[in-house]
Amino acid sequence: MRGRSAMRESAGAIQRKANGMTADPETTLRADARRNRDQILAAAKHIFAVSGPEVPMEEIARAAGVGVGTLYRRFPDRDALVRAVAMDNFERVLIDARVIAAEETSSWRALERLLRQSVELQLSVQLAMVSHRALVILKNDPEVRRLRDEILAVLDRFVDGAKAEGKLRDDVGAGDIAILFATLLRQMRAKSPEVAAMAARRCVGIMIDGLSARPGSSLPGRPITSGDLDPDADPDLGSDLGPDLGSD
Amino acid sequence: MRGRSAMRESAGAIQRKANGMTADPETTLRADARRNRDQILAAAKHIFAVSGPEVPMEEIARAAGVGVGTLYRRFPDRDALVRAVAMDNFERVLIDARVIAAEETSSWRALERLLRQSVELQLSVQLAMVSHRALVILKNDPEVRRLRDEILAVLDRFVDGAKAEGKLRDDVGAGDIAILFATLLRQMRAKSPEVAAMAARRCVGIMIDGLSARPGSSLPGRPITSGDLDPDADPDLGSDLGPDLGSD
DNA sequence: ACCGAAGCGGAAGGAAGTCGTCCACTAGGT
DNA sequence: ACCTAGTGGACGACTTCCTTCCGCTTCGGT
């Protein structure tokens, strides 16, 4: 049982590596092993997106069409895998964002396009913002963090530009948008996967309409900036679920 | 896993229902026991909303300020607790919806108010729509189901009315709205709980703007109706994803 | 104030599920 | 054709959670 569909992967990967950040792990790999590694990454990305970052490793392995041993050989523990997935996702988003920035002259249209595309690569923003566990893991990795910040910077530019164009409502910040979409992109349940997929696209459409500038409506509170997203609290973990229950 | 090992539904739960839910538990209970029961319910509601319906029972007990033993005496197993929380939530929403329906003359305003309020009672819609596990539990309870359907019926009326008024865009259905909100109401993470709470209100505001009728924008696919939300599949298990992933 | 009984908390036994290693085996590369 | 990087999946240790049980506490009537 080896055949799997993870093929929309191959092209971009090589180029990304050529971009040259961590060349160590892949150059030494045998062709076969390399392919497996990519499949694992693709499967993990998909499964993380659907079920969160704490699914059994064996499930990921199965989805990738490999054994658990292989998975553990490539990624020494779960954290390493989460990190790798996040890096891959962030890189992809960043590349997309830059392409869009280069192609679109209107910031509003750029923003819109970026958001719509994000649905298709159902994705990592949520991994970084919705999952506490993942957040803890990623926060300690400066590389990941740098990528994330770069993406937020691009988003900031789009937001500012779109506001200047009068297309984006003035009372939102990049943080609003990031939260909105991170939340929205979580998997939805419905009668069928088809309905769910359609629902996701429709939700994004509704959101974009809600974001566009229009007189007469206003939001409570103040604009949430990208800075508001940083839980700068403590870098160490310290029990992720337990303590904050008594807050009520 | 464990709940159904003894019996699919505990005989006690059925009995309680037959007696009438409101009469039995509250009249027989000692005053302090009653208070504890309410605290458990409140804590469970809060924690379910935040962390999904599969959190350790002990955590719920701790948050309620009682011991595990007390919790188990009151609710023989997790299913019973989930049911009780759902009933409570649904009843509350339904009551709100009816008050709103009676007070508002405009369907659009009624819809808007209902949606905004739903954020405050951070709530059950999500329990019924987002969590697979909960869905399975609740689907087998005709009482719960009846309540849910009643709520959806009210929502349907609001939606139809608001469309007729020309205030709600024509290309959405009650299902769109339900999905949108169920998704949106999931807990959000941000720098602080305050920011998260503000973000939730803002998101709803943006969404309502996106829903209001306006020429020039259209959504992909077809309107999602309340009927699209029912996973009418088989009642015992959703094997389509393999092992049920405790994503929450 | 007193007493019986309902109610309480939490320690402990037991079940379920996951992790990550290890080793006999397969298949690329030269 | 050989050598070794690579593979899969069974397995023992471990963690986590469920649920029961029992001695102590508190309620409520007298």
Side-chain angles (χ1 to χ4, degrees):
Chain A
M1 305 307 170
R2 185 68 60 88
R4 282 281 299 143
S5 56
M7 44 201 63
R8 62 179 216 191
E9 182 76 284
S10 45
I14 300 171
Q15 185 178 355
R16 261 200 321 290
K17 305 317 177 191
N19 205 338
M21 24 151 304
T22 36
D24 329 324
E26 283 102 30
T27 47
T28 331
L29 248 46
R30 217 167 67 180
D32 179 3
R34 174 93 201 273
R35 187 170 50 240
N36 278 341
R37 185 179 184 277
D38 288 347
Q39 280 173 353
I40 290 173
L41 225 49
K45 186 190 311 184
H46 182 236
I47 293 189
F48 282 166
V50 168
S51 311
E54 311 196 21
V55 292
M57 295 295 253
E58 194 205 325
E59 193 169 316
I60 297 170
R62 202 186 325 132
V66 304
V68 213
T70 302
L71 198 161
Y72 273 100
R73 167 187 302 275
R74 224 39 85 201
F75 305 94
D77 57 15
R78 157 170 271 111
D79 285 15
L81 181 59
V82 171
R83 249 188 230 107
V85 168
M87 288 289 293
D88 194 76
N89 269 332
F90 280 144
E91 276 172 5
R92 210 168 292 240
V93 173
L94 187 54
I95 290 172
D96 279 3
R98 284 181 171 152
V99 167
I100 291 174
E103 289 180 3
E104 298 286 347
T105 53
S106 152
S107 286
W108 167 254
R109 284 190 49 81
L111 182 60
E112 190 177 339
R113 205 174 129 191
L114 178 64
L115 296 183
R116 287 193 201 277
Q117 260 182 40
S118 298
V119 177
E120 303 305 329
L121 334 146
Q122 174 138 17
L123 78 79
S124 60
V125 189
Q126 78 181 241
L127 222 177
M129 309 230 201
V130 174
S131 160
H132 201 295
R133 169 78 44 108
L135 193 64
V136 169
I137 294 174
L138 300 181
K139 215 166 42 176
N140 294 329
D141 188 314
E143 196 93 36
V144 169
R145 198 171 173 115
R146 188 183 55 76
L147 269 178
R148 196 200 81 133
D149 289 346
E150 260 183 89
I151 292 174
L152 283 179
V154 174
L155 186 62
D156 263 331
R157 277 210 305 282
F158 284 176
V159 167
D160 289 344
K163 277 187 192 171
E165 291 165 6
K167 296 290 183 55
L168 175 65
R169 54 193 301 168
D170 262 323
D171 55 353
V172 301
D176 282 299
I177 294 178
I179 288 181
L180 204 47
F181 273 82
T183 308
L184 220 48
L185 292 178
R186 306 215 66 181
Q187 198 207 18
M188 310 176 176
R189 300 206 185 273
K191 200 169 196 169
S192 70
E194 293 77 31
V195 170
M198 187 171 72
R201 283 200 305 278
R202 294 170 62 79
C203 286
V204 170
I206 293 172
M207 294 304 343
I208 289 177
D209 275 1
L211 285 173
S212 71
R214 180 166 39 161
S217 68
S218 68
L219 298 175
R222 59 167 175 78
I224 296 175
T225 68
S226 51
D228 287 322
L229 302 179
D230 275 308
D232 279 323
D234 42 27
D236 62 16
L237 62 161
S239 77
D240 28 298
L241 262 185
D244 52 12
L245 293 171
S247 61
D248 200 70
Chain B
M1 302 300 173
R2 72 248 153 263
R4 56 182 63 114
S5 57
M7 257 168 245
R8 176 148 306 215
E9 273 193 350
S10 82
I14 292 175
Q15 177 118 12
R16 201 179 317 122
K17 248 171 282 175
N19 286 354
M21 293 209 55
T22 48
D24 189 29
E26 276 132 55
T27 50
T28 319
L29 248 44
R30 220 167 67 179
D32 63 342
R34 168 109 201 265
R35 193 179 328 125
N36 278 338
R37 184 180 185 277
D38 289 348
Q39 279 172 354
I40 291 173
L41 224 50
K45 187 189 311 185
H46 182 234
I47 293 189
F48 282 167
V50 169
S51 310
E54 311 195 23
V55 292
M57 295 295 253
E58 194 205 326
E59 194 168 317
I60 296 169
R62 201 186 328 132
V66 304
V68 215
T70 303
L71 199 164
Y72 273 97
R73 174 162 322 94
R74 226 37 86 200
F75 304 94
D77 57 15
R78 156 171 269 114
D79 286 15
L81 181 59
V82 170
R83 251 189 227 105
V85 169
M87 288 290 293
D88 196 75
N89 269 332
F90 279 144
E91 273 170 7
R92 211 168 291 243
V93 174
L94 187 54
I95 289 172
D96 279 3
R98 283 183 172 149
V99 168
I100 290 174
E103 289 180 4
E104 296 287 348
T105 53
S106 151
S107 286
W108 166 253
R109 284 191 51 81
L111 181 60
E112 191 177 338
R113 204 174 130 191
L114 178 64
L115 297 183
R116 286 193 201 277
Q117 260 184 41
S118 297
V119 177
E120 302 305 329
L121 335 146
Q122 173 136 11
L123 72 81
S124 59
V125 189
Q126 76 182 244
L127 222 176
M129 308 228 201
V130 174
S131 160
H132 203 294
R133 169 75 45 104
L135 193 65
V136 168
I137 294 173
L138 300 181
K139 216 164 43 176
N140 295 329
D141 189 313
E143 196 94 32
V144 170
R145 200 178 169 108
R146 187 183 57 76
L147 270 179
R148 194 199 84 132
D149 288 346
E150 262 183 87
I151 292 174
L152 283 179
V154 174
L155 185 62
D156 263 330
R157 276 210 305 282
F158 285 176
V159 166
D160 288 345
K163 278 187 194 174
E165 292 165 6
K167 296 290 183 56
L168 175 65
R169 56 194 300 169
D170 263 323
D171 54 353
V172 300
D176 282 298
I177 294 179
I179 287 181
L180 206 45
F181 270 81
T183 308
L184 219 49
L185 291 178
R186 308 212 68 182
Q187 198 207 18
M188 310 175 178
R189 303 216 179 265
K191 199 167 195 169
S192 70
E194 293 76 33
V195 170
M198 187 171 73
R201 285 200 303 280
R202 295 171 62 79
C203 285
V204 170
I206 292 172
M207 220 212 61
I208 288 176
D209 275 1
L211 284 173
S212 72
R214 178 163 44 157
S217 70
S218 67
L219 299 174
R222 60 168 175 77
I224 296 174
T225 68
S226 51
D228 287 322
L229 301 178
D230 277 307
D232 281 321
D234 49 42
D236 337 66
L237 42 87
S239 55
D240 50 311
L241 276 179
D244 39 20
L245 322 151
S247 60
D248 308 324

